[in-house]
Amino acid sequence: MLVSPLSPPVSAQLLLSFDFDGTLHDPASVPAIDPDFFCLIEELRKTHGAIWGINTGRSMHHFAHGLVEGKFPFAPDYAVVCEREIYVSKPDGHFVAEKSWNQRCARDIDEIFAKAKKVMQKIREHIGHHTGAHWMEEDDGSIGIIARTTEEMDWIVTEVKKLTINHPLLGWQRSTIYLRFGHKDYQKGSALAEVARLHQLSSELVFAIGDSHNDLEMLDHNVAQKIACPANAVSDVIEHIRRQNGYVCRRTHSQGVIEALEHFFA
Ligand SMILES: [Mg+2]
């Protein structure tokens, strides 16, 4: 069943971006998202004119499943899925593609994949010889790798960096054992900056929180000046947030998210 978004604010004055898996959503908790999170969002809508969204590596289909599983009482105002595609929720709860961005993103990725075809084949062979990781090519054109362990993915990322040195625009996003290839210009950070641009909000009015490597581009002061990570974030993200004078939560998952929102907007 679809859930509608909150009625829009008179004027948007704040933009909030939440990673889903490992940040807002903890499958080991019951409920997976603390219901107080949604009360706080409603409050921030009233007090700060807050627009909020989920910025995730999940596909649209998998994200929609997450809304049901996470018992969202209302829909986010926007979603960034596959770490790069932007969708905006309509009053009836349907999500509509932000066409010009998504089309540009798909076109540029096709172009970079065509240019980097040989090197990607080389990566595939190299990974196949040295690891037990799976190479994934989906019907929608997305290409990625699933490792057996995070240590194996650490090694794969080091090798991918070396092999792609002459392809500066070939990007990838890594979260735990997953890696998705793409274009350097399209990631959670640039997608969030585009959402901010559409709402005419500068980076001082943007908040972002995430726990993994694929969140690093949105946890950047050029994109969001209020940045945080939950206590369960990977060590590289915790160090990054500390270096940028962001907020490292004492609590994990959605309780950490609540803590960070209270820290910045109490
Ligand atoms: Mg995450």
Side-chain angles (χ1 to χ4, degrees):
M1 200 183 74
L2 290 172
V3 283
S4 298
L6 296 170
S7 44
V10 180
S11 77
Q13 292 160 51
L14 178 65
L15 177 61
L16 310 171
S17 171
F18 305 95
D19 167 50
F20 192 69
D21 296 285
T23 301
L24 200 52
H25 185 265
D26 174 18
S29 293
V30 180
I33 302 173
D34 188 326
D36 286 349
F37 166 76
F38 296 105
C39 299
L40 190 49
I41 291 291
E42 268 190 292
E43 195 60 35
L44 289 172
R45 178 72 125 218
K46 287 184 206 140
T47 57
H48 288 69
I51 299 284
W52 75 290
I54 302 296
N55 201 333
T56 179
R58 288 186 175 213
S59 64
M60 194 22 131
H61 172 76
H62 197 193
F63 160 75
H65 187 257
L67 294 187
V68 177
E69 197 205 337
K71 297 193 165 58
F72 281 55
F74 45 83
D77 300 308
Y78 72 92
V80 173
V81 300
C82 299
E83 291 138 348
R84 58 199 182 206
E85 293 164 16
I86 302 172
Y87 290 81
V88 176
S89 69
K90 293 292 159 193
D92 64 0
H94 282 98
F95 280 83
V96 175
E98 183 53 42
K99 265 193 194 146
S100 69
W101 174 267
N102 292 0
Q103 285 172 355
R104 206 169 351 126
C105 170
R107 187 199 60 209
D108 289 355
I109 288 173
D110 283 351
E111 213 169 276
I112 196 75
F113 281 1
K115 277 187 191 154
K117 201 170 179 174
K118 275 189 188 159
V119 74
M120 289 175 84
Q121 185 55 34
K122 204 170 170 184
I123 294 168
R124 183 178 185 166
E125 286 164 13
H126 191 59
I127 301 302
H129 280 130
H130 296 280
T131 74
H134 279 288
W135 184 268
M136 305 287 291
E137 288 191 16
E138 306 286 344
D139 294 340
D140 64 2
S142 67
I143 302 177
I145 301 170
I146 303 178
R148 293 170 298 180
T149 62
T150 53
E151 289 76 15
E152 188 172 67
M153 186 50 85
D154 288 342
W155 184 85
I156 290 170
V157 167
T158 317
E159 297 303 301
V160 169
K161 275 183 191 162
K162 282 189 229 163
L163 290 165
T164 57
I165 198 117
N166 295 321
H167 290 272
L169 291 179
L170 179 63
W172 64 85
Q173 292 300 326
R174 182 252 172 117
S175 181
T176 64
I177 59 166
Y178 304 96
L179 181 145
R180 176 186 285 116
F181 287 100
H183 189 292
K184 279 262 159 70
D185 292 348
Y186 301 91
Q187 13 71 15
K188 288 189 178 194
S190 58
L192 178 57
E194 177 65 7
V195 175
R197 193 188 66 80
L198 293 168
H199 287 284
Q200 297 179 300
L201 294 171
S202 62
S203 60
E204 301 97 77
L205 302 172
V206 183
F207 164 92
I209 183 166
D211 73 309
S212 195
H213 294 95
N214 64 344
D215 296 307
L216 287 170
E217 283 101 340
M218 74 166 172
L219 301 174
D220 183 298
H221 281 158
N222 293 315
V223 176
Q225 301 225 356
K226 294 175 174 69
I227 54 173
C229 66
N232 57 288
V234 298
S235 58
D236 286 347
V237 170
I238 292 179
E239 279 164 34
H240 169 86
I241 292 290
R242 286 217 172 101
R243 275 198 308 273
Q244 306 270 318
N245 293 319
Y247 186 75
V248 177
C249 301
R250 289 180 303 276
R251 290 181 284 171
T252 63
H253 302 102
S254 57
Q255 295 192 347
V257 173
I258 293 168
E259 180 188 332
L261 289 172
E262 284 173 345
H263 168 79
F264 284 110
F265 309 110

